[in-house]
Amino acid sequence: MTAASPAARERLYLFDTTLRDGAQTNGVDFTLADKLNVIGLLNRLGVDYVEAGYPGANPTDTQLFAQKRPSAARVTAFGMTKRAGRSVSNDPGVAALLAAEADAICFVAKASAFQVRVALETTEEENLASIRESVAAAVAAGREALVDCEHFFDGFKENPDFALACAEAAYQAGARWVVLCDTNGGTLPHEVEAIVARVTARVPGSHVGIHAHNDTEQAVANSLAAVRAGARQIQGTLNGLGERCGNANLCSLIPTLLLKGDYAERFETGVSREALAEIGVVSRTLDEMLNRSPDRHAPYVGESAFATKAGIHASAILKDPATYEHVPPEAVGNHRRVLVSDQAGRSNVLAELERLGVPVDRADPRLARLLDEVKGREALGYAYEAADASFALLARRMLHSVPDFFTVDRFSVSVERRYNAKGEMTTVAEAIVKVRVGDEVFISAAEGNGPVNALDVALRKDLGKYQPYIAGLRLTDYRVRILNGGTEAVTRVLVESTDESGARWTTVGVSPNIIDASFEALLDSITWQLLRSGAPG
């Protein structure tokens, strides 16, 4: 296929609803500052629309739309069409939308005869009138109008004439976008493609959008199917946030549109290749903001998206990455990971050492000893495929040297259940650590919300001359696994850490004692931070 010139490609428009539909995710609650930060992330990517919330529904959204917010994307306010039985000029919801400082207004309207009859308890004609009059009011106020046709696909299967009438009513009233919503998330790609084709025969595809939910794990596929059938706006969320099983994931859709020939050669978006290379950072930043662990297996942006474990695969990747990678990981802000485990071969070790910046001669006989050591330690419970920093330290100790930045003479941890000053029963953990840095000795004590937290705080409280190097270090994840049962159970602890630069690394500790295992992982984390930051030995 001959690639189309940029001038010949059709424009696809990206509509992000992380701050509105994504806010319905269980456990997600955006503050005003969060929303402004997310708008900044979306502008950084280059999406066309940001649906920022529902003015009047809660104080945060009302405050957000109280003043104009600078944004390269069109900030969009969401709300309902006018209620049945009242005029558009006498509807408080529509009035709040018209008063909002927004570039566009997205009205949600039922497009299912069943929903109109049961949920709204009104007539089909009244529903159509609500769509027409609400859109007309927005257009008259100089706003760009969009209509989310809720339950469109289920409604089309039940009564196609009414569903199409809703879409046509919105378009004829002046809506820039008529968005077809798979609200319950049960429609399949072949159905979406066929139904959208029916719609674009009546409403120009340049005015049709798709809003897919992920209840059958089809949201991304359904969005692409709608594009194939003529829709030219795609709605979705960062990391697939959304109620129930989430919405179409823009962190999967955007790379597909830009990197896969069937779409890249036909369409262009507002996202540049340079911005695409930051989508991994955007994805992780949102997770960090929401205090969620990133999905390691997420397409394109997940930690495991470009990870290889089998030795034969690693050998092929070293010869040509295209043997096991469908796109270059750097294109989406990710990187290749060749995992080191008890299944690893020499190729895995060499590839991982290269990625971690550990210099080594391929003929060095110590490589075989390193591989044997990895396999022996993994038999004891270590998991180096999930702990890159601990593997790098092990390799450096065997192949080169690691400075003795500090030594821990002793530590103790106590847990006490007692009454506090308010007479409430509380459990308090306290740790004391004695650390030696050169000729200096530092003894630090700290309390925490658990023994590991107390130990972590005490250990990082005072490392003398190394304190500036760990000032931004913090733990982002802590995972424990009991490797065998009974009284002789062995515990594996994985600690994920980050610093002010956004770099992340994972360390591992193994011991029959969970505190010992945690302490080993904490020591590796601090040592790796000192090593990577160039602290003097």
Side-chain angles (χ1 to χ4, degrees):
M1 179 185 291
T2 302
S5 66
R9 291 185 295 168
E10 287 186 75
R11 182 71 153 84
L12 287 180
Y13 292 84
L14 299 172
F15 183 106
D16 181 274
T17 181
T18 302
L19 298 177
R20 200 277 303 171
D21 215 345
Q24 298 185 58
T25 307
N26 185 26
V28 169
D29 186 18
F30 292 109
T31 65
L32 178 60
D34 289 338
K35 290 204 167 198
L36 295 176
N37 286 335
V38 171
I39 291 174
L41 291 175
L42 294 167
N43 282 326
R44 183 171 163 183
L45 270 183
V47 303
D48 300 288
Y49 295 83
V50 175
E51 191 170 54
Y54 195 151
N58 58 71
T60 298
D61 287 357
T62 300
Q63 187 178 356
L64 176 65
F65 288 105
Q67 64 187 68
K68 192 73 173 175
R69 306 283 178 178
S71 172
R74 298 184 67 76
V75 175
T76 305
F78 173 88
M80 295 175 61
T81 56
K82 81 168 187 69
R83 298 178 186 177
R86 64 174 63 192
S87 68
V88 71
S89 60
N90 194 36
D91 187 288
V94 174
L97 289 171
L98 296 177
E101 289 290 348
D103 302 305
I105 295 173
C106 184
F107 294 102
V108 60
K110 301 292 186 186
S112 156
F114 171 75
Q115 294 287 338
V116 168
R117 183 174 64 254
V118 175
L120 296 185
E121 297 182 330
T122 188
T123 65
E124 294 178 7
E125 184 49 49
E126 181 64 33
N127 188 71
L128 293 171
S130 292
I131 294 173
R132 286 191 293 264
E133 293 173 26
S134 299
V135 171
V139 172
R143 305 296 182 82
E144 181 176 331
L146 302 86
V147 175
D148 276 0
C149 292
E150 193 179 33
H151 297 287
F152 182 86
F153 291 94
D154 291 337
F156 186 95
K157 296 175 198 177
E158 171 207 351
N159 184 337
D161 291 337
F162 178 69
L164 286 169
C166 291
E168 287 188 303
Y171 173 64
Q172 292 168 2
R176 170 65 183 90
W177 293 105
V178 179
V179 183
L180 313 180
C181 302
D182 185 26
T183 306
N184 290 350
T187 311
L188 300 179
H190 69 280
E191 297 176 300
V192 169
E193 194 159 0
I195 292 171
V196 172
R198 291 277 302 275
V199 175
T200 55
R202 307 268 287 268
V203 175
S206 57
H207 289 265
V208 174
I210 178 70
H211 179 107
H213 282 259
N214 205 36
D215 297 74
T216 61
E217 198 69 24
Q218 306 287 328
V220 169
N222 282 343
S223 300
L224 296 172
V227 169
R228 291 195 300 272
R232 293 297 177 258
Q233 186 203 76
I234 301 174
Q235 295 197 359
T237 60
L238 295 176
N239 294 341
L241 293 182
E243 62 179 333
R244 303 188 311 275
C245 304
N247 289 34
N249 188 348
L250 289 180
C251 294
S252 299
L253 274 165
I254 293 173
T256 298
L257 295 172
L258 269 69
L259 299 176
K260 296 301 180 181
D262 287 351
Y263 299 97
E265 293 170 3
R266 288 186 57 196
F267 305 106
E268 62 177 340
T269 70
V271 180
S272 66
R273 287 295 184 97
E274 293 73 21
L276 179 64
E278 295 196 43
I279 197 166
V281 174
V282 169
S283 170
R284 292 188 293 274
T285 300
L286 178 65
D287 280 329
E288 182 67 25
M289 185 185 304
L290 298 175
N291 197 27
R292 293 157 53 105
S293 295
D295 179 0
R296 297 175 183 275
H297 302 285
Y300 294 106
V301 298
E303 185 180 9
S304 297
F306 299 95
T308 301
K309 186 171 182 177
I312 189 171
H313 292 188
S315 177
I317 280 179
L318 289 176
K319 296 172 184 175
D320 187 340
T323 52
Y324 285 96
E325 292 175 355
H326 67 108
V327 297
E330 298 79 13
V332 289
N334 210 332
H335 62 262
R336 184 174 303 113
R337 297 179 67 236
V338 180
L339 304 178
V340 177
S341 72
D342 60 357
Q343 298 182 28
R346 189 182 184 89
S347 296
N348 294 64
V349 172
L350 284 168
E352 184 65 356
L353 291 175
E354 180 181 356
R355 184 184 76 81
L356 293 169
V358 180
V360 61
D361 185 339
R362 298 175 67 90
D364 192 327
R366 291 176 296 178
L367 279 173
R369 293 201 296 272
L370 173 60
L371 186 56
D372 288 341
E373 180 71 12
V374 167
K375 292 183 177 181
R377 291 172 72 87
E378 291 224 340
L380 297 175
Y382 289 85
Y384 288 109
E385 67 181 75
D388 52 355
S390 285
F391 168 71
L393 288 172
L394 175 65
R396 284 179 179 272
R397 286 173 177 135
M398 293 191 68
L399 300 174
H400 305 288
S401 64
V402 175
D404 292 324
F405 296 110
F406 64 94
T407 57
V408 178
D409 286 351
R410 63 179 178 84
F411 73 85
S412 64
V413 181
S414 63
V415 178
E416 181 183 3
R417 188 167 172 81
R418 67 189 184 206
Y419 289 99
N420 62 17
K422 296 180 180 180
E424 301 166 333
M425 180 63 74
T426 60
T427 301
V428 178
E430 182 182 63
I432 300 174
V433 179
K434 182 180 179 181
V435 177
R436 190 178 301 274
V437 180
D439 295 329
E440 295 184 279
V441 174
F442 302 91
I443 299 177
S444 301
E447 290 186 347
N449 57 14
V452 176
N453 176 243
L455 192 56
D456 173 44
V457 175
L459 183 59
R460 293 188 290 113
K461 196 169 187 178
D462 193 354
L463 280 184
K465 65 179 182 180
Y466 295 123
Q467 199 62 29
Y469 295 94
I470 64 168
L473 174 64
R474 58 193 177 88
L475 271 57
T476 55
D477 199 9
Y478 175 84
R479 303 190 299 279
V480 177
R481 183 175 177 186
I482 305 302
L483 300 179
N484 56 345
T487 57
E488 297 180 355
V490 173
T491 303
R492 178 168 65 216
V493 170
L494 289 168
V495 169
E496 184 182 80
S497 306
T498 188
D499 66 4
E500 63 275 13
S501 72
R504 289 175 180 270
W505 59 93
T506 304
T507 51
V508 63
V510 173
S511 171
N513 185 304
I514 188 173
I515 302 300
D516 278 337
S518 302
F519 193 67
E520 182 183 5
L522 291 173
L523 284 178
D524 268 8
S525 178
I526 294 174
T527 303
W528 179 245
Q529 170 67 350
L530 292 174
L531 194 63
R532 63 181 293 275
S533 60

